[in-house]
Amino acid sequence: MAAASIPVDLSNPGQVFACLGFLETAHILIGDAKGGFDWTREDDVRFRLAANGGANPIECVLRFLDEATVTAVAPAGSTNNASKWKIDTVTDDSGSFPFGDPSRPDVFPARLTDASGRSVTIDHWGDETHRRDRVKFWAGAGGYPGVALARDVLDRIRGRAGDHSDAPFSLNAEQSSSFRFDWRRDYVPMDAGFSPNEHKSTMVMQGYPVVELLATVGLTNARPRRHDRLHYSYGVAGVVGAELYDPMFLRASLGSRKPPFPGMPFRLFAMQLDWPGQEGQARCITNVNEETLPS
């Protein structure tokens, strides 16, 4: 197995979700992925990842993103498509489509596919179980769908991501819209005192595309714990020595308030959101605090 690590800010929920995105993507593309957070040094907190083969698993995931294209996925017999946004729609004939035929284009699953045919699907935003929160923070923009946001993110990092394997979460780009997972880009106009959207000729927001895209992948099999629409919490599982964890433990940790098993280093964070525009539509992260673990 090959191993690598990257710096991560545990108080940035998008970065934590994106670490799980690295884990999920490496598990699909390479196999037998394991990971964990290492805060042995508080001035250099890392996410550690290992997977099959001899290649750097972080770089393998980023090279995949460099090549990937996006298609929308619809169930067999669907008449819906994403052509309005100039995105091809493919049909899933497997009989295991994750939810009903999407009546709204914003929740089409997005399939990322590279030149060799390897693919990763993002579909958490259409979850209809009513037991797991969709964690869908973006809204509005005429029903602009997740597949289009994913396409836009890839366009901003294409050909550049693989060269940032040492610190992929620092890769920034001009980004007028996003999934709202990295709060370094977001703002509430009333709190900021102005809206950058009204100054587009002189001001373009800088976003962090690798965080945004891989955070959506990281929520495939895990969710932070929802308390209400503007309050969530998330947990992170720490490593002990050289030990890394199977994906199931990091998935369970994300939505937990306690470690999945005794003795696991564990930290818990609370995040507060607000409405950047009309209440009930888009949400953005405004504050994150570390919490004391419940006894």
Side-chain angles (χ1 to χ4, degrees), residues 6 45 57 77 90 108 115 128 145 149 161 172 199 221 226 255 266 271 285:
I6 53 174
V45 179
V90 298
F108 275 123
E128 294 178 341
L149 284 173
N172 66 322
H199 303 274
N221 297 301
R226 171 174 164 156
F266 187 81
M271 60 175 174
I285 301 165

Side-chain angles (χ1 to χ4, degrees), residues 69-70 85-87 110 112 144 146-156 158 179 213:
T69 58
V70 179
W85 296 275
K86 299 180 180 179
I87 297 174
L112 314 182
Y144 204 65
V147 289
L149 284 173
R151 186 259 325 267
D152 295 346
V153 168
L154 282 174
D155 285 347
R156 283 157 177 75
R158 195 175 311 283
F179 291 109
L213 188 61

Side-chain angles (χ1 to χ4, degrees), residues 60-102:
C60 287
V61 171
L62 295 172
R63 295 296 182 194
F64 169 78
L65 297 183
D66 273 337
E67 294 184 10
T69 58
V70 179
T71 54
V73 185
S78 174
T79 59
N80 296 315
N81 61 69
S83 60
K84 177 180 177 181
W85 296 275
K86 299 180 180 179
I87 297 174
D88 292 336
T89 302
V90 298
T91 299
D92 182 347
D93 298 315
S94 67
S96 58
F97 197 75
F99 40 81
D101 189 5

Side-chain angles (χ1 to χ4, degrees), residues 202-216:
T202 58
M203 179 180 293
V204 179
M205 298 300 291
Q206 293 289 312
Y208 296 85
V210 172
V211 175
E212 292 286 353
L213 188 61
L214 285 178
T216 68

Side-chain angles (χ1 to χ4, degrees), residues 135-201:
V135 198
K136 180 179 176 292
F137 294 163
W138 88 93
Y144 204 65
V147 289
L149 284 173
R151 186 259 325 267
D152 295 346
V153 168
L154 282 174
D155 285 347
R156 283 157 177 75
I157 61 176
R158 195 175 311 283
R160 297 198 296 148
D163 296 328
H164 288 75
S165 58
D166 290 338
F169 298 155
S170 66
L171 175 58
N172 66 322
E174 292 184 356
Q175 206 170 347
S176 60
S177 59
S178 75
F179 291 109
R180 297 188 177 276
F181 285 132
D182 194 314
W183 66 326
R184 289 176 291 179
R185 175 197 168 277
D186 263 327
Y187 59 92
V188 176
M190 185 171 292
D191 294 341
F194 73 103
S195 173
N197 286 337
E198 297 178 359
H199 303 274
K200 292 181 178 179
S201 62

